[in-house]
Amino acid sequence: MTPTPPAPVPAQVDDAPRPGLFITFEGGDGVGKSTQIDRLATLLVAAHIEYVRTREPGGTELGTEIRRLLLDGGHVDPRAEALLYAADRAHHVTTKVRPALEAGSVVISDRYLDSSVAYQGAARDLGPGEVRDLSLWATDGLLPDLTILLDAEPGLAERRRTARGGKDRLEREPGAFHQALREEFLALAALEPERFVVIDAEQDLETVARLVAVNVARLVARRGDGLRGEDAAGSSAVEADSPAAAVREAVLRRYPALHVSELDG
Ligand code: TYD
């Protein structure tokens, strides 16, 4: 008798509540993610909120090795590429992201699973659904609380990249690839509007930073009660009454023209 093959199990999302908040930044190459993450980090420091800044690929020691294999080497078969990104993500989530979230930190990651869905799934034609399931399996279903998509037409990103210097392997892909990528990111955002915020990255840096700050303040107002604070001496105490109040005060100090009501969940 031939054994029956197991039925495919759809990948599950882990929506158990956690004290920390997981925020990811996504977008094509050169849209300004690092600069915006710097700004957000400065704001969290001002609010005395503990955070961990990380990235994919390469957020761990093993990940740094995987990153080197992926980006600095020669041709990588598309399925091997998808599996290497998933391997980086699995290790990153178990050893760094989940422990920080359990400890009540804000975790800010420069790229996460949506990059795989867009780059490997859509732009490389492996199938967005399969690639998403692979990442959900790899991470035991961890999705971000907030994903900030910095959207720009590929031409702008290209100009910024050229101004910035050397290109890695994926950055050398032709224009159609970057166009497909942008469309897939926007489609993903449209599918999960409660998780994504799309920001036009062609606006000036300050405007983008303010929009990021507003959206993070709203998230903390809704779901940030479990966050840990850190005062200047390193002890855990939020200066204001609550993480939400601390972040709101820091944002209003930085952007005095904002109205408090704009920052509530
Ligand atoms: P990154 O370091 O963010 O580069 P950049 O600063 O240019 O945006 O990402 C490295 C490259 O890896 C980038 O071209 C996107 C690609 N990538 C994938 O193809 N799949 C993935 O799952 C991830 C996380 C990144």
Side-chain angles (χ1 to χ4, degrees), residues 29 33 56 67 85 89 111 116 119-120 170-171:
D29 302 291
K33 286 181 279 91
E56 288 192 358
R67 182 182 176 94
Y85 281 112
R89 185 160 301 128
R111 299 193 182 280
S116 278
Y119 280 82
Q120 281 67 54
L170 283 178
E171 290 176 350

Side-chain angles (χ1 to χ4, degrees), residues 9-261:
V9 181
Q12 296 285 320
V13 170
D14 167 10
D15 48 15
R18 290 171 285 271
L21 289 173
F22 186 23
I23 301 175
T24 58
F25 281 73
E26 297 283 4
D29 302 291
V31 289
K33 286 181 279 91
S34 317
T35 312
Q36 292 302 330
I37 293 174
D38 288 346
R39 294 301 180 98
L40 175 57
T42 306
L43 203 68
L44 292 174
V45 169
H48 304 298
I49 298 284
E50 202 173 276
Y51 73 94
V52 171
R53 177 178 182 163
T54 187
R55 70 170 177 177
E56 288 192 358
T60 60
E61 247 173 66
L62 174 66
T64 306
E65 290 298 304
I66 297 177
R67 182 182 176 94
R68 196 175 48 74
L69 294 172
L70 279 163
L71 299 177
D72 300 337
H75 171 76
V76 183
D77 166 75
R79 283 172 194 264
E81 183 183 72
L83 288 164
L84 283 169
Y85 281 112
D88 166 68
R89 185 160 301 128
H91 190 69
H92 184 217
V93 163
T94 328
T95 62
K96 193 167 176 182
V97 178
R98 280 192 189 270
L101 292 174
E102 291 307 330
S105 287
V106 174
V107 176
I108 312 171
S109 186
D110 186 340
R111 299 193 182 280
Y112 186 59
L113 128 170
D114 302 297
S115 274
S116 278
V117 181
Y119 280 82
Q120 281 67 54
R124 287 232 188 281
D125 253 3
L126 287 181
E130 282 90 334
V131 172
R132 182 183 155 95
D133 280 356
L134 176 67
S135 268
L136 283 177
W137 177 79
T139 62
D140 221 352
L142 184 70
L143 281 182
D145 296 287
L146 172 67
T147 297
I148 293 171
L149 173 58
L150 298 180
D151 174 60
E153 54 97 10
L156 171 101
E158 175 69 31
R159 288 193 298 281
R160 283 192 187 157
R161 267 201 309 280
T162 310
R164 209 170 61 180
K167 296 181 180 186
D168 64 33
R169 193 175 55 77
L170 283 178
E171 290 176 350
R172 291 191 296 265
E173 301 283 348
F177 178 89
H178 290 285
Q179 192 54 44
L181 196 63
R182 182 189 189 192
E183 283 164 18
E184 182 61 22
F185 273 128
L186 289 171
L188 289 176
L191 280 175
E192 286 181 82
E194 64 300 332
R195 169 160 73 92
F196 273 88
V197 169
V198 182
I199 299 179
D200 175 0
E202 300 188 31
Q203 303 174 94
D204 66 280
L205 206 146
E206 276 305 306
T207 308
V208 176
R210 197 181 63 233
L211 288 167
V212 171
V214 166
N215 281 286
V216 170
R218 286 182 185 157
L219 172 70
V220 176
R222 278 201 320 273
R223 315 231 295 256
D225 284 349
L227 291 181
R228 270 169 62 93
E230 189 172 56
D231 66 20
S235 75
S236 6
V238 184
E239 263 184 5
D241 305 343
S242 67
V247 171
R248 199 184 302 128
E249 276 170 29
V251 173
L252 290 172
R253 265 200 309 276
R254 180 70 188 78
Y255 304 104
L258 283 174
H259 193 269
V260 179
S261 63

